[in-house]
Each structure stands twice: as C-alpha cells, then as structure tokens.
Amino acid sequence: MIGVVTNNANETIALGRQIGSLLRPGDVLAISGELGAGKTTFISGVAAGLGISDLVSSPSFVIINEHFGRIPLFHIDLYRLEEGMDIEQLGIEEYFKRGGVVAIEWAERMGDLLPDQHIDIRLEPLDDNRRSITIDDRGSNRIPSQLIGG
Ligand code: ADP
Ligand code: MG
C-alpha cells in the first residue's frame, strides 16, 4: 500500500505515469474519489505510462473509451450510470478479457462485478490543489511500496 500527497495535477499525472509503467495486461484499476478529486487526471498519467499519446478526457456520454499503447487502456467512467441501470448490460466484463488495462472511475458502483483481483486507488482532496492518494494492490505485489524514479 502506498500513500502519497500530491501538490498539483502534474504530480498526480506523474504518479499515474509511474503506476502505468508497472501495469500488465489484465490489470484492473478501481478508482474512487468525489467529483473533481482527480480520477481522470490520474488516468491520463496512467495512459502516458502505457505509452498512449492520445488525450484522455472524461467520457461524458460514452461510458467507455479505448486507447491503444504498449497495452490497451479501457477507461470506464460510471459517473453517468443511472439508478436502476443494469450494469451487466454495459458488457463491462468483456473488457476484463481483452488483454488490456481496465481503469474504472466510480468503481464502487461496480458492486459484485468488480474483479476481486484489482488495484484500489482512492483520491481525497485536502484542499484546492492537494490530494491524498492511496494505492493498494491488495496483496498482488504489482505495486512496490516504494516507487522509485518517475
Ligand atoms: P475527477 O475525474 O475525479 O472528477 P478530474 O481529474 O476530472 O477529477 O479533475 C480534477 C481537477 O482538479 C482538475 O481540474 C485538476 O487540474 C484539479 N487538480 C488540482 N490539484 C490536483 C491534484 N493534486 N491532483 C489532481 N487534480 C488536481
Ligand atoms: Mg472523471
């Protein structure tokens, strides 16, 4: 488990990039934190760490965006998931089998559909520009407790 405080968006992107560089096909990032916490910002760093050069933005109406780099990135944002909407019908489970990294914003809305084996990432705003970020690989040892370099 890693706990860091970032002082601005660029530091969050740099952290995401470090994490992205460690990821392998099939990894799932379950990302939680309130609106504006920095989930999408973090994922844009992950994309950079996966060698993806396109712009990562919030999927607004589209719930899933696909990006192709060293490993594909499937960026899922469940913010607009409506009450009573059947998450199983979105076909999200298919993405877990596609040999990419799946990064999910509002992952808590996945309920039982979230794979047990995932990396838990929580962002908590401390003030306008500081975010407390915890990363827990839940025993998979994917993320070393000391990140070195950037
Ligand atoms: P979310 O996807 O969680 O709703 P976004 O990543 O879209 O959040 O937006 C986060 C906003 O907060 C951006 O405008 C970003 O520039 C700003 N911000 C300020 N400080 C930080 C920080 N330390 N980490 C991430 N974002 C930050
Ligand atoms: Mg977002």
Side-chain angles (χ1 to χ4, degrees), residues 6-9 12 34-41 105 128-129 131:
T6 62
N7 295 298
N8 53 56
T12 298
E34 64 191 59
L35 200 63
K39 300 180 296 299
T40 303
T41 302
E105 296 188 48
D128 281 356
N129 291 303
R131 302 290 187 270

